[in-house]
Amino acid sequence: MSSQNLPLSPEASPAASSESSPESSAGQQLRKPRVAVVFGGRSSEHGISVVTAGAILSAIDRTRYDVLPIGITTDGRWALTADEPERMAITDRKMPNVAEIADSADGGVLLPVDPGNREVVYSEPGSVPKVLGDVDVVFPMLHGPYGEDGTIQGLLELSGVPYVGSGVLASAVGQDKDYMKRIFTSFGLDVGPYLVIRPREWRQDEAGARQRIAEFAGEHGWPLFIKPARAGSSIGITKVDSFEGLDEAIAEAQRHDPKILVEALLRGREIECGVLEFEDGPRASVPAEIPPVQSHDYYDFEAKYIDSTPGIVPAPLTPEQTEEIQRLAVEAFEAASCEGLVRADFFLTEDGRFVINEINTMPGFTPISMYPQMWEKSGVSYAELVDRLIQAALNRSTDLR
């Protein structure tokens, strides 16, 4: 790994600084910063968001931070939840749900909308609203639409509350694979062949949309991958070997997003690289390789989270290949105006090219997820990674950046 990608020493870490610790009233001792971990949400990635938040809650240093867990139910209610990470794990192949760990079936959490006020309020029907205290930073562990896509980031920008991760633009770009690929192409990054079918096109001219897919298949061959344009965690993706399964694959993708993406098969190895923002700019981790899961045809949701096999960290690449993917990962981070963290996913094709598939602005963050594993092998432990992200958010301006 090249020297510019090496993590900082502990002495240079922002976690070593206490300058951002909030103060109470004059003459009183400094209080610990309060971190609201927000998770769940309305997207189809609700369950994995809960799992990820459980890992974050377990890792946050309670001697340095106070923690407020806030879950968003699948119908959009903001709920106060128990601080019990053990209840937020996958059990018997079943994903956890915010409704199962909420303190109340009716109570709701209200974030401030006034930049001069960071008090969080909790209310239940028939009861006087209760002030839960100030929140100093939000750790939004939301995946997919209505959270990772710039929506909660916009809410927090309006509220003037610091938060972990990318801002509105980068979060939206990171969620929409159509515009993500357009931006990467404009910055000279190599992307694979793809086609976008927009909702209006499908509604008004299904035959024409199918014809476009047929022409795409004629040019690039089968199989094709049909996927939601604005979803993650490999949800809603179908590998299609012929026209016979096309309509079913489109219907499955549209269950998650009316805008769909059609991608050609890229033959090669799946390589990932983590990017983390340090004081002097973004740096790349050692890369990882995702080996094929023998029981699955491709790296779908169950292969990723249920029947997963360990990734290979660091990936068996030449020093030149490692340096190249690290450079490209940082370029992707910068191209999309990202902040904080990103996982960049590539294909190493049979002809030796790195083709970027996508970035993930809030990647899976359990200790066995690839992003923390890559940084662990790069010298940044899971707990240090969480702490660094919180400190970076606390030190970041809440004005235009």
Side-chain angles (χ1 to χ4, degrees), residues 8-26:
L8 296 179
S9 65
E11 291 78 9
S13 166
S17 170
S18 61
E19 292 180 359
S20 59
S21 298
E23 293 188 22
S24 53
S25 60

Side-chain angles (χ1 to χ4, degrees), residues 262-290:
V262 180
E263 291 182 341
L265 173 68
L266 286 174
R267 301 188 184 280
R269 299 159 59 189
E270 291 191 48
I271 311 292
E272 298 181 349
C273 191
V275 180
L276 180 63
E277 193 167 18
F278 288 77
E279 291 84 344
D280 60 348
R283 302 183 185 185
S285 70
V286 299
E289 180 166 4
I290 308 300

Side-chain angles (χ1 to χ4, degrees), residues 77-144:
R77 180 173 63 90
W78 291 52
L80 198 61
T81 71
D83 186 5
E84 299 175 2
E86 65 277 6
R87 296 176 59 193
M88 302 165 72
I90 300 172
T91 305
D92 298 327
R93 302 176 67 89
K94 180 178 178 294
M95 287 287 174
N97 191 291
V98 167
E100 298 169 350
I101 58 173
D103 285 356
S104 164
D106 301 308
V109 174
L110 300 176
L111 287 184
V113 292
D114 177 0
N117 172 25
R118 292 183 181 176
E119 284 188 343
V120 174
V121 176
Y122 178 74
S123 65
E124 291 190 66
S127 300
V128 176
K130 180 171 61 175
V131 175
L132 300 178
D134 287 357
V135 164
D136 300 295
V137 62
V138 172
F139 207 132
M141 292 312 310
L142 297 163
H143 299 307

